[in-house]
């Protein structure tokens, strides 16, 4: 049954005027009510929010700056705001700008990294509930993630809805279709992030997925949760259409058909379609499009901007700005508070024996990630070298997905469904790029699967919480895999009350309005 949100958590739609300052915009844009699609209609019209960016945003130069230097927000009638090609481009830019607003992206990165094994609180912070895998039902950071992702999805829905109704007149070439394809990629990414943070993504038969948003929010109704399998099906449908419709390449901070294909491989891996994930990832690796490739060294991936932001490693990325302390620009601050875990640090010195051959796990990646920033002599704090403090190398790049992950997705999917030799070759390409020793040909299936999991910890530590989701996925697929052996505060899914530790709590306002809560909250 659909329910209306309580009056206290609805948005009152402002009049058709320019809104206030940038800070006021952020406070509204990150309102928890948006997570429940609570746009309160005034009169008979529905309103949508579009960020109007400078004209240079659409040019080839200075685009990174313009994506953050946003003019004041305008509140426009959604029935007339997207009426032609220029307004469609502006609306699409508003979708991308969602990643820079508020703090939902830094929250998602740091929370999931603590839930897993790659990040811990620093001496300046107490041990957190996330680190203990003991999240409280009223967790504000979880609510921020929830509202931020649904905000982005809603913007994408407006683009899809309005641009689909426009004629091709005024659009260059196939640009109208490309805009729709880019919006579908972003909608798929938002739904996927929501599913793995708030839904039981590991169980395809579970009714506890997330609420799919397939069209713009036009009322204050709240809809029930969709089944996990239905969520996967819809995400994959969006990605298939994005692969067909999105451009082959614009810039690394825009969606592309290749980025959509990479996300499809990742979703297939989570969906346990291992043969499909291997085939999709292999297409990307074999095509080796000019715009995307595994760059020669790991350090190049995290070089100062613009090198990292324009890196061929990046399939989809956003960047931080050292002169700002808003939204994504706060990423360095979040990781200044949450350091690399002792577990990750220990991998730097570890070796494993494979068929009589000693293989050293890492050579350099953990050293780069486990860094220190000194504000003054003898005033130093742990710092994540992937997201350096702004007093250091200007800006940082945050990768939603990069080529190394595609190789590791292929390696795992192939190991589970196809050739161990092919999986080993892909794994070793990532290791050799990082200067690490390759695994020998005698590596068994069990050894290579564990090697891939550990490789992702070292390669992708703190980037998107992949180590946390991998622990859950591995236990789901392999009944002999024990999560508690890797992190004692993560209970086994078969244990009483264990599974609630695998997901974040929904916002209280959504539960009060009738959304089914996650177990344990």
């Amino acid at each position: 049954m659909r329910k209306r949100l309580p009056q206290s958590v609805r948005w009152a739609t402002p009049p058709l005027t320019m809104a206030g300052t940038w800070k006021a915009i952020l406070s509204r844009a990150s309102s928890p009510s948006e997570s429940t699609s609570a746009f309160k209609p005034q009169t008979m019209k529905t309103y949508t929010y579009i960020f109007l960016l400078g004209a240079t945003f659409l040019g080839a130069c200075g685009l990174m700056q313009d994506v953050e230097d946003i003019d004041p927000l305008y509140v426009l009638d959604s029935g007339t705001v997207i009426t032609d090609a220029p307004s469609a481009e502006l609306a699409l830019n508003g979708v991308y700008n969602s990643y820079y607003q508020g703090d939902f992206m830094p929250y998602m990165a740091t929370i999931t990294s603590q839930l897993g094994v790659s990040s811990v609180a620093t001496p300046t912070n107490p041990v957190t509930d996330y680190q203990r895998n003991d999240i409280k039902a009223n967790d504000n950071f979880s609510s921020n993630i929830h509202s931020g992702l649904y905000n982005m999805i809603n913007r994408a829905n407006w683009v899809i809805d309005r641009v689909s109704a426009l004629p091709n007149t005024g659009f260059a070439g196939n640009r109208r279709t490309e805009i729709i394809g880019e919006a579908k990629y972003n909608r798929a990414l938002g739904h996927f992030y929501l599913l793995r943070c708030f839904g039981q993504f590991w169980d395809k038969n579970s009714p506890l997925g997330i609420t799919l948003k397939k069209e713009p929010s036009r009322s204050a109704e709240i809809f029930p949760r969709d089944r996990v399998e239905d969520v996967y099906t819809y995400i994959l449908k969006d990605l298939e259409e994005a692969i067909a419709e999105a451009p082959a390449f614009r810039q690394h901070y825009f969606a592309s058909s290749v980025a959509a294909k990479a996300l499809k491989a990742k979703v297939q891996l989570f969906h346990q379609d291992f043969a499909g994930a291997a085939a999709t990832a292999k297409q990307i690796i074999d095509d080796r499009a000019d715009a995307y490739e595994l760059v020669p060294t790991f350090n190049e991936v995290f070089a100062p901007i613009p090198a990292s932001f324009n890196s061929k490693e990046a399939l989809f990325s956003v960047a931080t700005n050292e002169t700002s302390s808003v939204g994504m620009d706060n990423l360095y601050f979040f990781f200044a508070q949450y350091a690399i875990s002792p577990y990750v640090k220990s991998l730097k010195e570890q070796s494993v024996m494979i068929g009589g051959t000693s293989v050293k796990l890492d050579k350099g990646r953990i050293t780069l990630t486990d860094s220190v920033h000194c504000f003054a002599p003898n005033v130093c704090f742990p710092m994540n070298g992937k997201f350096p403090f702004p007093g250091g190398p200007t800006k940082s790049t945050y990768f939603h997905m990069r080529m190394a992950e595609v190789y590791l997705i292929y390696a795992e999917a192939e190991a589970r469904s196809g050739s161990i030799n092919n999986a080993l070759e892909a794994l070793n390409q990532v290791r050799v790029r990082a200067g690490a020793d390759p695994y020998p040909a005698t590596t068994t299936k069990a050894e290579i699967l564990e090697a891939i999991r550990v490789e992702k910890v070292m390669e992708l530590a703190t980037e998107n919480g992949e180590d946390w989701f991998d622990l859950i996925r591995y236990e789901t697929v392999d009944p002999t895999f024990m999560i508690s052996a890797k992190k004692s505060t993560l209970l086994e899914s078969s244990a009483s009350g264990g599974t609630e530790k695998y997901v974040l709590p929904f916002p209280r306002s959504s539960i009060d309005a009738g959304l089914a809560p996650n177990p344990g909250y």
Side-chain angles (χ1 to χ4, degrees):
M1 177 182 295
R2 302 177 185 178
K3 294 188 179 181
R4 292 181 66 82
L5 286 164
Q7 183 71 28
S8 61
V9 296
R10 297 185 200 163
W11 266 12
T13 307
L16 188 62
T17 58
M18 186 175 76
T21 63
W22 169 234
K23 289 185 178 179
I25 292 164
L26 283 177
S27 66
R28 278 216 310 272
S30 60
S31 169
S33 63
E34 198 160 21
S35 67
T36 52
S37 307
F39 292 98
K40 181 182 177 183
Q42 275 192 345
T43 68
M44 295 301 291
K45 293 182 179 179
T46 305
Y47 293 90
T48 187
Y49 298 84
I50 303 296
F51 281 87
L52 301 184
L53 310 185
T56 52
F57 186 88
L58 303 177
C61 301
L63 197 140
M64 187 0 245
Q65 179 180 355
D66 295 316
V67 84
E68 293 187 323
D69 297 341
I70 302 164
D71 291 339
L73 181 70
Y74 286 77
V75 184
L76 301 173
D77 178 1
S78 62
T80 60
V81 65
I82 305 176
T83 59
D84 53 21
S87 59
E89 294 285 3
L90 290 172
L92 180 63
N93 290 343
V95 177
Y96 288 112
N97 190 263
S98 303
Y99 294 102
Y100 294 88
Q101 294 172 27
D103 291 325
F104 81 93
M105 280 307 308
Y107 285 141
M108 188 166 66
T110 51
I111 285 175
T112 54
S113 295
Q114 291 174 76
L115 289 168
V117 296
S118 62
S119 183
V120 295
T122 69
T124 60
N125 258 3
V127 175
T128 67
D129 290 341
Y130 314 112
Q131 208 173 311
R132 291 189 293 261
N133 299 98
D134 186 24
I135 309 167
K136 302 301 185 288
N138 61 347
D139 181 62
N140 289 330
F141 291 171
S142 297
S143 296
N144 197 302
I145 295 168
H146 191 262
S147 62
L149 288 169
Y150 273 119
N151 170 41
M152 185 268 286
I153 290 171
N154 197 53
R155 294 186 185 196
N157 278 333
W158 278 117
V159 172
I160 295 165
D161 180 83
R162 296 304 178 184
V163 177
S164 296
L166 294 177
N168 286 319
T169 307
F171 291 89
N174 198 38
R175 185 61 191 145
R176 174 181 163 276
T177 300
E178 289 179 347
I179 289 173
I180 296 170
E182 289 184 54
K184 287 177 180 176
Y185 169 86
N186 283 281
R187 182 169 67 181
L189 182 61
H191 279 138
F192 179 62
Y193 280 159
L194 283 164
L195 176 62
R196 69 181 197 166
C197 284
F198 295 93
Q200 294 185 345
F201 68 87
W202 61 90
D203 182 0
K204 292 184 285 187
N205 297 316
S206 172
L208 299 180
I210 48 100
T211 302
L212 287 167
K213 295 296 183 182
K214 302 179 181 181
E215 58 183 29
S217 296
R218 293 181 171 89
S219 72
E221 290 179 320
I222 185 167
F223 294 81
R225 297 170 70 168
D226 290 279
R227 297 184 62 83
V228 169
E229 180 65 22
D230 294 336
V231 177
Y232 275 120
T233 298
Y234 194 73
I235 292 171
L236 288 168
K237 175 180 178 293
D238 261 352
L239 290 174
E240 288 291 355
E241 293 173 5
I243 291 168
E245 297 170 355
F249 178 74
R250 283 211 290 158
Q251 292 289 348
H252 295 282
Y253 31 84
F254 292 133
S256 69
S257 58
V258 181
K261 190 175 291 186
L263 182 55
K264 176 187 173 183
K266 187 170 185 172
V267 173
Q268 288 173 311
L269 187 74
F270 274 65
H271 193 224
Q272 299 176 35
D273 177 10
F274 300 121
T280 304
K282 189 68 161 59
Q283 288 176 15
I284 301 169
I285 294 169
D286 288 347
D287 287 349
R288 302 194 176 200
D290 290 340
Y292 307 102
E293 65 182 19
L294 199 66
V295 299
T297 69
F298 179 78
N299 283 20
E300 286 182 48
V301 178
F302 298 97
I305 284 178
S308 61
F309 202 47
N310 295 319
S311 171
K312 291 186 175 183
E313 179 94 6
L315 287 155
F316 181 55
S317 60
V318 296
T320 61
N321 184 341
E322 84 283 6
T323 63
S324 172
S325 59
V326 171
M328 275 302 297
D329 300 331
N330 250 334
L331 192 62
Y332 74 87
F333 173 74
F334 280 83
F335 278 112
Q337 298 182 83
Y338 304 109
I340 301 304
S341 69
Y343 167 73
V344 173
K345 292 181 182 182
S346 72
L347 297 176
K348 180 168 58 176
E349 305 302 329
Q350 288 186 29
S351 298
V352 294
M353 292 297 297
I354 304 291
T357 301
S358 178
V359 179
K360 186 172 175 58
L361 290 180
D362 189 56
K363 290 183 180 178
R365 286 173 295 188
I366 296 172
T367 299
L368 180 144
T369 308
D370 180 26
S371 185
V372 171
H373 177 77
C374 295
F375 295 85
N378 301 319
V379 184
C380 301
F381 293 92
M383 182 187 75
N384 189 326
K386 291 182 174 180
F387 313 107
F389 193 80
T394 60
K395 303 172 183 178
S396 306
T397 298
Y398 183 86
F399 298 96
H400 286 273
M401 199 162 185
R402 54 188 179 88
M403 282 298 295
E405 187 176 359
V406 173
Y407 277 77
L408 294 173
I409 287 171
Y410 172 70
E412 182 189 339
E414 187 72 7
R416 294 192 186 279
S417 67
S419 165
I420 295 298
N421 291 335
N422 291 342
L424 188 63
E425 180 183 0
L427 170 62
N428 281 337
Q429 283 182 271
V430 176
R431 289 185 57 75
V432 170
R433 187 275 291 271
D437 300 330
Y439 283 92
T442 55
T443 308
T444 65
K445 178 178 178 178
E447 289 170 336
I448 195 171
L449 285 170
E450 178 63 6
I452 292 165
R453 188 190 67 79
V454 174
E455 192 70 20
K456 289 178 74 175
V457 172
M458 296 183 294
E459 178 73 27
L460 304 173
T462 72
E463 290 185 39
N464 278 300
E466 299 304 326
D467 52 287
W468 177 41
F469 302 114
D470 284 351
L471 287 172
I472 299 169
R473 289 194 308 102
Y474 268 58
E475 184 194 65
T476 303
V477 176
D478 181 2
T480 67
F481 185 91
M482 302 291 288
I483 285 184
S484 59
K486 310 299 179 183
K487 189 179 183 186
S488 59
T489 53
L490 263 173
L491 303 180
E492 315 308 322
S493 61
S494 58
S496 176
T499 54
E500 68 261 21
K501 292 182 178 287
Y502 290 10
V503 291
L504 302 179
F506 286 112
R508 187 74 262 163
S509 59
S510 299
I511 302 302
D512 291 343
L515 189 70
N518 278 321
Y521 297 112

